[in-house]
Amino acid sequence: MKQFKPSIIACAIAAQFFTAHHTVAAEQQITANKEIETIEVTATRRSGSIQDAPLNITALDGDVISDQNIGNLEDVARWVPGLTISDQGGREGSPIIVRGLNTNSSDRGSDGGTVATYVGEIPLNISLRLTDIDRMEVLIGPQGTLYGAGTLGGAIRYLLKQPQLDITEGSVSGDIFSINESDDTGGEFGAVFNTPLIDDVLAVRASLNYYNKPGYIDYKYAVQEPGVSNPNPDFTNQNDIDNNLRRVNDANDEKITTGRLSVRWQANENVDATLNYFYQKQEHGGNSTTQYNTLADSSALKGTIGRYENAARVLEPGEQENDLLSLEVKADLGFAELVSASGWSSYEQSGQRDQTDLLYDIWTGYADFPAFVGQTLDTADRDNFTQELRLVSNSDNALNWIVGVYYNKQDNFSDDREYTPGLTEFWGGGIPNVQEDLEYIVISNSKIKEQAVFGEVGYSLTEQLDVTLGARLYEYDISTNSGSATPLYSGDFSSLDQLEMENVSANDSGNLFKFNANYKFESGMLAYFTVSEGFRIGGGNGIAPCPDVLPEQQIVCALANEEDYEPDTTVNYELGFKSSWFKNSLHFNAALFNVDWKDAQVGSSTVNGQELITANAGSANSKGVEISSRAIFADNWTAYATYAYAKAELTEDAPDLFGINNGAVNGDRLPGAPEHQFSFGLRYEQDIMDDKLLSVNYGMTAQSDVITKVGLRDDAETLAGYSLSNLSARITGDMWSATIYVDNLFDKYAFTSVRRDKSWAGMSQTGDNKALPELQRVYAHYTTTPRTIGMKFTYNFEL
């Protein structure tokens, strides 16, 4: 799809006729009398109907997740108007963008951090495999008062199924699937078990799930032995190629193990507590990138890389582990409900990448070593403790309120190293190293403490008009201690004790406000107006300041404007309505929004050493509309649709966005997100074989084009819009269901994101071509997953 630019009016009309989506749709289920039954959500910190919640919220329940074969957050985003997640295959963190609020490039690991994710009541930065999920709630727009830091764009909540106190039940499930371009078969297998230990008092719920997705990207030119094999043999001589290089098929495989154990204790009718332990391990064999049609004419590899092939010299595996121990206690005090949410979480990551091209760019002399290959070993650890206490009023009178306190402590550690196998010996040896062939090392420790008090007060001015005021007062402290070294350049680095560490600290305090007014018409339509604020904490980049006189050898240091960065904030103005029609067989919801973004934080790099840092880039704005609808018609048909339009652009010049004197200007479009998004789904149900139910589901999601850097500057490019279709058929019996499905029905091939830019392949349009263009392979694209055909089976049981 080259272009996808329907007008707002046309889309609104289409949404009314073709109806709903698994967004506002997913919030809902179909009852026997052909009405839409709205499910309960808790995003406002109170339980209530989604159609009565005066805010822009999407909820996807377990049925919708199953119907559309939604397995991760990237799949969710295609059904939520205003939410964009560029699928980067799991190996790299995919950017989460709401309403186009993003100034970073769509490069590897370029998540702008404008959306917070929660598991239950606890903030946890994770892309969770969607198993044993009750529902997902996506809050669009700044959520600073109730949800705190990192919610400039919104918040995403994973709500796990809770232990049931009165029933022993469980399920086992299996999924076998095949991906075009892959030689292997994938599978997913899971089990859930729930049982009361003491009826109506104590229950336990456990789940275990294993997901194995085969790869479909082949690493075509990996070296046989780093530092010995020639990564650039005579590509016209097959024997020379075979002696130095090897092909690794289906390298970007993905394995995810997820487990959960929950214990729920209802001490009496007023106290309910749940202790939950969650674990997830992700293992990836390589990146989901390809250099198809990205290599320069001067490259010896030009024309040799296919649509699902990668030219990296070394494999790029990665591994991530998350665990969370949480305790959530709810106590009914009569006048209010007391909620305590405590969470202890940890994160460990390790990975390897081909770093050869980046090192060539720093110094072309590396090419003197015929077997030169650069590779990384990057590791990171994070430990986090979160505590929130809040009181939520229970009274039925005109006044209602919420008041709470929040505390968060986070410790981060990272250790990134670059190795150049064989280079020390090639240079003649004699260079003392903490580890042989260690070319670069950076170690960083940071501690973050954040605390806040928050609250909301609501008042019913009339039976139809409600007004809510909210506020959050916060403060934070950050301390970062880091150091780096280049042993092969300095020649005097023989132990970590010699690493010179630099400490940078930052702290700030502030306040956020919210105003909401909503009016319920006699017809049942709910109209609302909201002004809300969001913020993200600032901090230090933890890099030593540059000396007055730079040395001749390579140095990593920060200029004065690179040492730290300021917090950024958003202010959202939103007007929306929610409506039900034709005896509750049609829901139609819409919202107009205008978001101002100040001091936007962006990913950048130091002038000296190209070390990744965070900087501020002035102000930006996003405005547009979001529509979602769902309807039941005839006897067996349900339809759903969504549409979103967001015009996101800078509102002042950012002269140094891409380095000194290399910036963007007022009016430049923001990157990473499409201006238009659309989804449409159709469901048909029919009783068959007396007591079985046949359900056929079709879903289509589409987006317009995406640019990769602000204003298409600095060798950016436009990634064409595309659409994806899914089709499934399910037969459901009393205690079982069987499903066949096809994802990416028409096997659409499209680029979802980019790694680096054209200048790395010698195709710069700004004159900033990198050195040795025939060797540059770091410029690549992430792609959509090829057509996937599978079959699922689920068996439920009760004892």
Side-chain angles (χ1 to χ4, degrees), residues 308-321:
Y308 297 100
E309 292 180 333
N310 187 298
R313 302 162 187 83
V314 297
L315 295 183
E316 300 176 296
E319 183 176 302
Q320 302 175 46
E321 285 188 86

Side-chain angles (χ1 to χ4, degrees), residues 19 201 205 282 302 341 343 403 413 433 436 451 527 544 557 564 576 609 645 649 692 719-720 730 773 778 792:
T19 69
V201 175
R205 187 179 188 92
Q282 299 169 265
K302 178 71 173 179
V403 62
F413 172 78
N433 253 286
E436 189 170 315
Q451 49 198 6
C557 64
D564 53 26
Y645 168 75
E649 58 188 17
K692 307 296 186 296
L719 305 181
R730 180 171 60 188
V778 71
K792 292 182 178 181

Side-chain angles (χ1 to χ4, degrees), residues 152-203:
L152 287 84
I156 297 172
R157 305 179 71 211
Y158 297 93
L159 284 305
L160 306 177
K161 289 185 178 179
Q162 292 299 297
Q164 300 300 304
L165 298 167
D166 57 354
I167 188 173
T168 296
E169 63 177 1
S171 67
V172 291
S173 60
D175 181 6
I176 302 293
F177 59 90
S178 175
I179 302 176
N180 276 14
E181 308 299 329
S182 179
D183 298 329
D184 296 325
T185 300
E188 183 167 19
F189 308 95
V192 180
F193 182 70
N194 182 102
T195 188
L197 301 178
I198 304 175
D199 285 345
D200 299 323
V201 175
L202 186 67

Side-chain angles (χ1 to χ4, degrees), residues 39 49 127 193 207 238 258 266 326 561 582 603 673 741 758 784:
I39 68 171
S49 159
S127 179
F193 182 70
S207 66
Q238 190 60 47
T258 305
Q266 189 165 297
S326 66
N561 65 327
F582 308 118
Y741 64 89
K758 294 179 179 180
T784 52

Side-chain angles (χ1 to χ4, degrees), residues 74-114:
E74 288 84 354
D75 295 335
V76 169
R78 292 199 294 269
W79 294 97
V80 178
L83 178 64
T84 300
I85 302 178
S86 299
D87 189 355
Q88 296 187 348
R91 169 63 177 85
E92 303 291 351
S94 300
I96 304 175
I97 303 170
V98 170
R99 293 175 172 172
L101 296 174
N102 175 57
T103 50
N104 289 339
S105 70
S106 60
D107 203 345
R108 173 187 66 83
S110 60
D111 184 3
T114 60

Side-chain angles (χ1 to χ4, degrees), residues 721-735:
Y722 61 92
S723 65
L724 299 175
S725 292
N726 299 332
L727 183 65
S728 67
R730 180 171 60 188
I731 298 177
T732 304
D734 224 8
M735 304 294 290

Side-chain angles (χ1 to χ4, degrees), residues 276-294:
N276 182 74
Y277 175 74
F278 166 81
Y279 172 83
Q280 179 169 285
K281 181 178 181 179
Q282 299 169 265
E283 300 170 275
H284 300 93
N287 265 310
S288 299
T289 53
T290 175
Q291 287 83 10
Y292 176 64
N293 283 344
T294 64

Side-chain angles (χ1 to χ4, degrees), residues 36 57 85 583 609 794:
I36 300 174
I57 176 176
I85 302 178
K583 297 181 180 180
T794 301

